[in-house]
Amino acid sequence: MAQSAGFSRNIMDSVIKQTMPAISTETGKSEGHHFADRKRKQVRRSLSHIRGEKLFQQSLGFTGLSMLALVLAILLTLIVQSLPSIKALGFSFFWTSTWNPVQNVFGAFPFLIGTLITSFLALLISIPFSIAIAVFLGEYFPKGAFSNFIRSTIELIAAVPSVIFGFWGFFVLVPMVRALETKIGVMPNGVGLFSAALVLSIMIIPYAASLGTTMIKMVPATLKEGAYALGATRWEVLRHVIIPYAKSGLFAGILLSLGRAIGETMAVTMVVGNANFLPKNIFAPGNTMASVIANEFTEADHPIYLSALIEMGLFLFVVTFVINFIGKKIIKRATKNN
Amino acid sequence: MKKNLIKSGMILTGIIALAFSFVACNGSGSQGEASGHDEHNIIGAGSSFDNPLFSKMFYEYHKNTKLQVNYQSVGSGAGISQLTHKTVDFGASDAPMNEEQEQAAGSDVLHIPVTAGAVVISYNLVEIKDTLKLTSEVLSNIFLGKITKWNDAQIASINPNIKLPATAIVVVHRSDGSGTSSIFTSYLSKVSPEWDSKVGKGTSVNWPVGLGGKGNEGVSGLVKQTPGAIGYIELAYAIQNQMPYAQLQNKAGHFIVPSIESVTAAANIEIPADGKISLTNTEAVDGYPISGFSWVLIYKEQSYNNRSQAGAEQLLKLLNWMIHEGQAYSAALDYAPLSPAAVKTGEVILKSATFNGQPILK
C-alpha cells in the first residue's frame, strides 16, 4: 500500500512536468499566451484535476488491455485443457471423421466442414440482402419515419435471442425445406446444413446491413454531387462513387456477420440435424463445431472426451482467427486499390 | 519516454499474472471451494430428468421442515463432476458412476436409487391407428440402419394386423449427451451383440444412422414433423405430450406397454447391495425393458471440507424422506415410484453413510 502511494506521488511529479509544457504549447497556439498563463495557474491549483485525468487515462488503458489479457487467458486455458486430447489423439483430430465418445476416438473434420459450409452458405445468401438494405437506407432513404422504421426493424433482428430463431426455423422453415426436398428428390429430412444456413443468413443480415448503411452515409456529398454534375445517373454514382468509397466498410460488415455465423450455436443445433458424418450434399444433415460443443459438453464423462471438446473450442478459435486475418487482408487490398 | 516504458512493462506483467491466474483457477481452484454449508441450505446438482420431481419434493419438504434445497439441473455428468469437486452436497445421475469418475471422486460414493424412468419408442405413421409392436431385434436393426423401410418383413411379421406403408424409416436420436441415450444404448448393447461391438453404450455414441434432436423436445419435434420417423424419448415427456409409443417385447417374451406401473414392475427384482443396477432388459415378467433408476450420489464419509455433523444429518434425513414419503409425488408427475425392493436397498445404503466413521442415520 505504502509502496503504491510513493509510486503515485512519483507519477504526480512527472505528470506536472510532462503536462505543463504540453498544455502551454497546445493552448498557446490557438488561444494566446494570456489564456495559457491563466490556465497554467488553474492547473497548478487543481492537482486533483490532473490526478483525475491521469487516473482516467490509466483506467482506459487498463480496461483496453484487460480485454486483451482476457483473450490471452482464454486461449491459454483452451491450450492447457486440451493437452490431454492433443497427446492422446495427435493430429488425427483435425482430419479424421469418426467421432466416437464410447471408444474415445475423436475426429473433428466433419464438424469443420459443417461449420464452413453453413457459415459461408449463409454469408452467400445474406450478402445481396444486406448490401441492398445498406444502399437503400444509406443512399435512397437516409432520413424519415419510414427509414427509421425499417432500420429499427432490421436492428431488432439482431436483438432476437438465437433460440427464437431456432424455434422458428424448426417449426416453420424446416417443413418448407422438407417440401422443397421432396420436390427435388433428395432425402426429405427437412433439417440439415441448408436449413441451418438459411436460419443463419437471416440472423447475420443486420450486422453487415447496419455497418454498410453507416459507411454509405459517410460518403462525402461533394463527391456524389460532382459525379451528378458530370451527368452521371444514380446507378452510375452508386456503382462508381459510393460503392468503391464504402467498400472497406461493407467488407468489414460482411466479416462481422461471418464471425457471427461461425460461432452461432443454439439456432444451428436445432435445425442442422446433428449427424456426425461428413455431409454428402448441402441438404444432408451435418453438425458444426459450436453445436457439438454445446450438445456434448455437459455429459462428457471421460477426461479425454472433455479435453477433445475443449480442443474443438481451440480449433474454432483458430479457425475464426484465420478467417478474420484473411478478411482483414482482403479489406486492406480492397482499400489500397482505390 | 523511459517512464512510459517502465509503466507499460508493469502493466504487461500484470496482464501475464492475470492470464496465469485464470489458468490456475481453472486447474485446481474449484476444488478448494467449500460448499458453504449453512444448516438451512442443501445444494445439489445433476440429472435434468429428475428436476421436475425434485422441485416438487423439495417444495413439499420445505413446507414441513423449512429446509431449503437448491437443485441445479445441469445434467448427470456435470452433477457427478460437481460432487467430485465437492461444490455440492449431493449429485444426481441417470447412470451410475464409471471407473474414471470413481477414481476422480477419491473415496466411496453411495448410489441411492431415488426414482425410475423409462425410454419409449415413438414413431410417426399417420395412417396407423393400432399400437405398433417391436422386438429387441427389430429395434436394434432399425437403429443400426439395417431395416430401412416400414414394410420390412421383420416388422410386418410381428405386426400381422397392421398394414405398414412403404415409407423410409427416419431414425431420430438425441444430439446432446443425456441419461436417456445412456439407458437406451445400454438396452441395445444388452440385446444386440452387433450393437455392442459396433456402437456401444454411453451418454453420447457414434450413431450409425439418423438425425439428432436436442433434448426430448428436439427428438419429439422431429418425430412429429417427419413422416416415417422413429425416435426414443422419456416416458414422462411422451405421456405429457401424447406421443404415440410402441409396445416392446421384454425378456420374458411379453409385449409390454410402457407405463408407470410397468416401470415400477421392472425394478421389482433383486437389487445388489450397492444399488448400482441397470434395469434394462429386466428379468421381471411384467417389466418394461428400457427402464432405469436415477440415483442420488453422496460421499459415504460425510466429514469433509469442514462440513458439520448437523448438516450431514439434515442431508441424510432429506434423502431418507425422498425414498419413503417423497415417493407419493412420483406418479402424479409421471415418474415411476420405487419398487419395495428398491426402497429396502436404499434404506440400507443410507444407513451405511458415516460421519467420522460413525453412522449418521440410526
Side-chain angles (χ1 to χ4, degrees):
Chain A
M1 212 47 226
Q3 219 176 357
S4 77
F7 179 65
S8 67
R9 204 177 304 130
N10 280 343
I11 287 180
M12 287 312 302
D13 291 344
S14 69
V15 166
I16 296 170
K17 272 180 217 150
Q18 277 175 3
T19 43
M20 292 311 289
I23 288 172
S24 67
T25 51
E26 210 172 82
T27 50
K29 262 180 216 159
S30 56
E31 317 247 351
H33 285 284
H34 176 68
F35 182 75
D37 284 344
R38 213 172 59 196
K39 202 77 187 169
R40 190 177 296 172
K41 276 174 200 153
Q42 263 183 8
V43 168
R44 225 173 243 151
R45 257 183 274 125
S46 53
L47 264 175
S48 60
H49 276 199
I50 299 178
R51 193 183 287 142
E53 192 76 15
K54 198 70 200 165
L55 216 70
F56 180 60
Q57 191 192 332
Q58 277 175 338
S59 64
L60 279 186
F62 176 76
T63 327
L65 285 172
S66 62
M67 277 315 291
L68 193 71
L70 202 65
V71 173
L72 282 177
I74 291 173
L75 187 64
L76 268 176
T77 312
L78 288 178
I79 292 173
V80 170
Q81 304 252 334
S82 53
L83 279 179
S85 142
I86 295 172
K87 268 183 207 147
L89 304 163
F91 283 101
S92 67
F93 182 82
F94 301 102
W95 52 265
T96 55
S97 41
T98 307
W99 185 263
N100 190 340
V102 180
Q103 281 155 15
N104 281 317
V105 176
F106 300 103
F109 191 63
F111 312 132
L112 173 70
I113 298 298
T115 300
L116 294 181
I117 289 180
T118 50
S119 44
F120 277 95
L121 193 59
L123 198 66
L124 216 63
I125 300 169
S126 80
I127 285 176
F129 293 96
S130 50
I131 301 233
I133 291 166
V135 169
F136 186 78
L137 291 178
E139 175 62 18
Y140 284 70
F141 286 94
K143 285 197 200 85
F146 178 62
S147 153
N148 279 340
F149 173 70
I150 292 188
R151 182 169 314 127
S152 44
T153 311
I154 286 160
E155 272 157 18
L156 196 69
I157 295 179
V160 174
S162 56
V163 65
I164 305 290
F165 277 104
F167 266 120
W168 176 80
F170 191 74
F171 289 114
V172 180
L173 204 62
V174 166
M176 284 155 73
V177 171
R178 187 176 296 119
L180 175 78
E181 285 171 342
T182 319
K183 246 180 211 158
I184 61 173
V186 291
M187 183 77 187
N189 290 321
V191 292
L193 296 175
F194 182 68
S195 302
L198 275 182
V199 172
L200 275 178
S201 68
I202 297 165
M203 294 176 72
I204 63 178
I205 283 175
Y207 297 87
S210 65
L211 199 63
T213 308
T214 319
M215 292 311 281
I216 286 177
K217 272 188 186 165
M218 275 164 61
V219 176
T222 47
L223 279 185
K224 290 189 272 181
E225 281 157 14
Y228 283 126
L230 291 172
T233 61
R234 196 158 202 181
W235 164 250
E236 282 165 341
V237 172
L238 197 66
R239 174 73 188 79
H240 298 289
V241 179
I242 295 172
I243 297 288
Y245 194 90
K247 201 152 68 176
S248 71
L250 292 174
F251 262 121
I254 287 166
L255 199 62
L256 198 67
S257 39
L258 180 63
R260 177 91 174 86
I262 290 175
E264 178 49 43
T265 308
M266 199 56 210
V268 170
T269 203
M270 291 173 80
V271 296
V272 79
N274 297 298
N276 302 350
F277 337 106
L278 270 179
K280 290 191 185 69
N281 55 47
I282 57 164
F283 292 103
N287 216 340
T288 68
M289 296 198 265
S291 160
V292 172
I293 298 173
N295 268 316
E296 302 188 3
F297 197 74
T298 48
E299 294 290 338
D301 48 9
H302 192 279
I304 301 280
Y305 186 13
L306 193 64
S307 179
L309 286 172
I310 294 171
E311 189 179 353
M312 187 128 72
L314 181 68
F315 194 21
L316 188 59
F317 201 98
V318 172
V319 168
T320 318
F321 181 79
V322 167
I323 287 176
N324 258 308
F325 185 76
I326 297 172
K328 291 255 167 66
K329 286 269 174 219
I330 292 174
I331 292 175
K332 219 175 189 179
R333 186 173 292 175
T335 33
K336 222 184 244 168
N337 287 350
N338 277 348
Chain B
M1 204 55 220
K2 213 175 181 183
K3 284 239 161 82
N4 273 345
L5 264 179
I6 294 169
K7 215 182 334 162
S8 48
M10 289 187 66
I11 292 173
L12 257 178
T13 330
I15 291 172
I16 293 163
L18 196 66
F20 274 101
S21 72
F22 275 106
V23 176
C25 265
N26 232 305
S28 63
S30 47
Q31 289 197 351
E33 261 170 60
S35 36
H37 212 283
D38 91 56
E39 277 159 35
H40 293 282
N41 212 342
I42 287 179
I43 308 166
S47 158
S48 48
F49 163 71
D50 292 337
N51 193 33
L53 176 64
F54 280 11
S55 303
K56 176 70 178 165
M57 280 184 172
F58 297 150
Y59 172 74
E60 295 293 335
Y61 195 70
H62 176 70
K63 274 206 292 202
N64 300 331
T65 60
K66 298 285 160 256
L67 181 83
Q68 279 282 358
V69 184
N70 176 5
Y71 183 72
Q72 300 150 13
S73 161
V74 288
S76 301
I80 290 174
S81 95
Q82 288 201 27
L83 180 74
T84 309
H85 286 144
K86 302 190 168 76
T87 52
V88 291
D89 298 304
F90 69 90
S93 173
D94 306 334
M97 286 167 74
N98 61 28
E99 262 172 49
E100 282 94 8
Q101 286 167 334
E102 281 184 344
Q103 255 170 23
S107 58
D108 285 355
V109 172
L110 299 176
H111 288 60
I112 303 121
V114 71
T115 189
V119 175
V120 304
I121 310 301
S122 187
Y123 52 88
N124 181 345
L125 291 170
V126 192
E127 317 88 272
I128 291 172
K129 296 284 176 287
D130 297 324
T131 313
L132 195 71
K133 282 181 184 167
L134 292 173
T135 61
S136 58
E137 197 191 346
V138 167
L139 187 64
S140 51
N141 282 343
I142 289 176
F143 275 82
L144 278 167
K146 287 163 81 181
I147 299 180
T148 56
K149 292 269 186 221
W150 278 108
N151 60 355
D152 191 283
Q154 290 185 59
I155 308 178
S157 67
I158 44 175
N159 293 287
N161 301 327
I162 298 177
K163 199 176 165 294
L164 290 155
T167 333
I169 297 178
V170 179
V171 170
V172 185
H173 55 76
R174 288 281 287 267
S175 64
D176 49 331
S178 87
T180 310
S181 296
S182 176
I183 292 176
F184 183 66
T185 51
S186 85
Y187 169 72
L188 290 183
S189 286
K190 270 188 195 172
V191 296
S192 156
E194 188 181 350
W195 181 274
D196 194 35
S197 63
K198 267 192 185 165
V199 187
K201 57 182 176 183
T203 52
S204 301
V205 298
N206 188 19
W207 296 97
V209 285
L211 307 171
K214 190 165 163 51
N216 282 304
E217 63 283 0
V219 172
S220 62
L222 277 174
V223 170
K224 272 185 193 163
Q225 277 191 17
T226 318
I230 185 167
Y232 62 93
I233 43 182
E234 246 164 44
L235 171 65
Y237 191 89
I239 294 177
Q240 283 150 19
N241 291 281
Q242 286 149 10
M243 305 281 296
Y245 39 81
Q247 294 181 21
L248 194 60
Q249 192 180 37
N250 68 6
K251 205 171 182 182
H254 299 285
F255 282 95
I256 305 290
V257 181
S259 67
I260 295 164
E261 293 76 28
S262 61
V263 175
T264 305
N268 211 8
I269 48 173
E270 202 178 312
I271 294 169
D274 64 359
K276 289 194 246 178
I277 183 176
S278 161
L279 300 179
T280 49
N281 205 20
T282 177
E283 306 272 349
V285 180
D286 305 321
Y288 179 69
I290 323 182
S291 311
F293 278 131
S294 191
W295 291 269
V296 163
L297 311 172
I298 56 168
Y299 273 102
K300 184 173 184 188
E301 175 52 62
Q302 282 289 302
S303 170
Y304 59 90
N305 270 10
N306 301 322
R307 291 163 64 91
S308 68
Q309 177 147 18
E313 260 170 35
Q314 274 183 331
L315 175 63
L316 268 291
K317 269 188 197 153
L318 168 73
L319 299 181
N320 198 33
W321 179 87
M322 282 164 80
I323 63 170
H324 291 101
E325 291 89 337
Q327 293 299 315
Y329 305 104
S330 300
L333 293 167
D334 299 315
Y335 289 82
L338 290 175
S339 62
V343 175
K344 223 172 179 180
T345 315
E347 266 173 24
V348 177
I349 296 172
L350 280 179
K351 279 181 182 152
S352 72
T354 56
F355 194 87
N356 285 332
Q358 297 298 311
I360 300 170
L361 280 186
K362 305 271 149 38

